[in-house]
Amino acid sequence: MRRKRRARIHNEVELNLAAMLDMAFQILTFFILTFKPMPYEGQISLHMPPPQPITKVDNGEAAGADPTNPNPVQGLNTLIITVFGATTGQIDGLAIGESTVAGLGELEKRVAALLSDPGSGFDQVLIQVGSSVNYQSLLDVVDVCTRQKLADGKNLTKLNFVELPGG
Amino acid sequence: MSSQLLHEANAQPNLTPMLDMVFQLITFFMLVINFKTATMELSLKLPAIGSARPVDTEGHDELLVLNIDSQGNLLIYGERKDIEEYVASEAAVSSLVARRTKPDFKLGDELSTTVVIRADRATPFRLLNKVISTCQRNGFRRFALKAMNKEA
């Protein structure tokens, strides 16, 4: 009996873990050195076909053609927002159509009112942007537009940019 | 006698717990590694807005990531590239892929690839517009404008 126990002890196998540990440390070093935490980024998704003429010519009506029509702008489905830029890249002025707007807060109120009005017929926004306006300022305006809902309750997704002539 | 004493004094540390811990760390790093960050120029300062949503590809996995610095340069894997040339070559690749699924696909038709624009917040619009209009001319219609979320 004693003999048997001693024989069993001598047959024990001891694995040399040092080599495996070396390799594991090398792999760990590789992963630590190549690790770059992904920044938490968001996005605004847009469907942007090339800029089109800003009026629907098929629905358009020549000025004065129908004096009984109380809403001569019906048929225009693009809301035009103009962003003027200062040399610093900041917003220098805003306008909806030809009417100036005091700031982003007022722009939001007026755009919301125009887009949600079933009678206005606007379903897309064209932003005319001054060439010096920087990306942050542009996205501030885009942010205001993409938060709005159309008269049918859907979010506004049709949005495009053009460079302001001479801007 | 003396050699036997020396042999008995050998200390063998138990490496098993250390190996367990190292394997756990390796598993962690393997799970969190993301090779997509290689396409992103992390030195760019993205704009911050309130309505930026988490990335949603809406089933479209084909993305064309364009990093634009404040001087309007296109940076791909840290290297400057010519915008016209690069976008045209990517559009050609996307067209070939589109032809496999849609045999009637013609040049100029809408491509399913989403252009992801990661531009520096100071990039002037005239430079950014050059990139967007180049993409539009080459058939790209889906765009994702990257920004940091103000609320995050």
Side-chain angles (χ1 to χ4, degrees):
Chain A
M1 191 66 183
R2 266 184 192 172
R3 251 189 195 176
K4 262 189 182 175
R5 193 176 287 166
R6 194 177 290 173
R8 203 176 285 164
I9 289 165
H10 280 292
N11 285 339
E12 270 182 6
V13 178
E14 277 193 21
L15 279 175
N16 184 6
L17 295 179
M20 194 186 276
L21 197 62
D22 284 351
M23 189 202 67
F25 269 121
Q26 282 187 26
I27 296 171
L28 183 63
T29 311
F30 165 77
F31 280 116
I32 289 173
L33 292 178
T34 57
F35 180 65
K36 270 185 195 171
M38 183 118 169
Y40 182 76
E41 291 178 3
Q43 66 179 32
I44 293 179
S45 298
L46 297 173
H47 188 258
M48 296 199 294
Q52 300 292 319
I54 55 171
T55 54
K56 250 189 179 176
V57 285
D58 51 341
N59 290 351
E61 181 186 300
D66 182 6
T68 59
N69 183 0
N71 186 7
V73 292
Q74 201 167 30
L76 306 181
N77 62 358
T78 307
L79 180 67
I80 303 167
I81 297 173
T82 310
V83 184
F84 302 99
T87 48
T88 53
Q90 305 297 311
I91 296 173
D92 196 30
L94 291 163
I96 297 176
E98 290 181 354
S99 154
T100 55
V101 178
L104 286 170
E106 194 190 330
L107 179 77
E108 181 157 14
K109 278 182 202 161
R110 288 180 61 181
V111 169
L114 284 166
L115 292 178
S116 60
D117 178 9
S120 69
F122 292 122
D123 66 348
Q124 54 185 306
V125 170
L126 178 75
I127 306 178
Q128 297 187 101
V129 190
S131 57
S132 62
V133 173
N134 63 29
Y135 186 45
Q136 171 72 65
S137 304
L138 170 67
L139 278 194
D140 287 338
V141 177
V142 173
D143 186 28
V144 167
C145 296
T146 51
R147 280 205 299 259
Q148 308 311 321
K149 290 204 183 289
L150 299 172
D152 58 4
K154 289 178 185 166
N155 282 327
L156 174 78
T157 54
K158 289 184 191 170
L159 203 140
N160 217 325
F161 317 116
V162 287
E163 198 169 333
L164 192 63
Chain B
M1 181 70 179
S2 61
S3 69
Q4 200 175 329
L5 274 175
L6 272 176
H7 183 72
E8 281 173 3
N10 268 353
Q12 283 197 334
N14 186 5
L15 297 178
T16 313
M18 192 187 277
L19 198 61
D20 285 350
M21 188 203 65
V22 170
F23 273 123
Q24 281 189 29
L25 285 172
I26 288 175
T27 311
F28 167 76
F29 280 108
M30 279 174 74
L31 292 176
V32 298
I33 200 164
N34 190 342
F35 293 104
K36 274 185 185 171
T37 51
T39 61
M40 294 180 182
E41 187 64 36
L42 297 177
S43 61
L44 297 176
K45 285 182 183 165
L46 297 188
I49 54 168
S51 66
R53 296 278 166 268
V55 176
D56 178 15
T57 55
E58 292 168 350
H60 303 282
D61 289 331
E62 299 155 38
L63 301 174
L64 171 62
V65 181
L66 302 179
N67 299 289
I68 318 287
D69 71 6
S70 56
Q71 273 77 48
N73 299 310
L74 173 65
L75 302 169
I76 304 293
Y77 292 105
E79 281 184 28
R80 269 193 208 178
K81 299 268 183 186
D82 181 68
I83 294 169
E84 298 272 350
E85 207 176 290
Y86 183 76
V87 172
S89 65
E90 289 294 324
V93 173
S94 297
S95 305
L96 283 174
V97 174
R99 266 187 210 126
R100 279 190 194 166
T101 49
K102 289 184 199 165
D104 57 335
F105 183 86
K106 297 187 298 295
L107 201 68
D109 283 358
E110 182 175 327
L111 295 167
S112 61
T113 307
T114 302
V115 180
V116 178
I117 293 186
R118 297 184 75 252
D120 194 281
R121 61 177 73 161
T123 311
F125 178 71
R126 68 173 181 282
L127 302 174
L128 192 68
N129 194 35
K130 213 167 85 177
V131 178
I132 293 174
S133 49
T134 305
C135 293
Q136 287 173 331
R137 272 202 309 279
N138 283 281
F140 295 108
R141 300 286 182 270
R142 294 169 197 273
F143 288 85
L145 305 178
K146 285 275 184 178
M148 306 301 285
N149 200 325
K150 254 182 196 169
E151 292 148 14

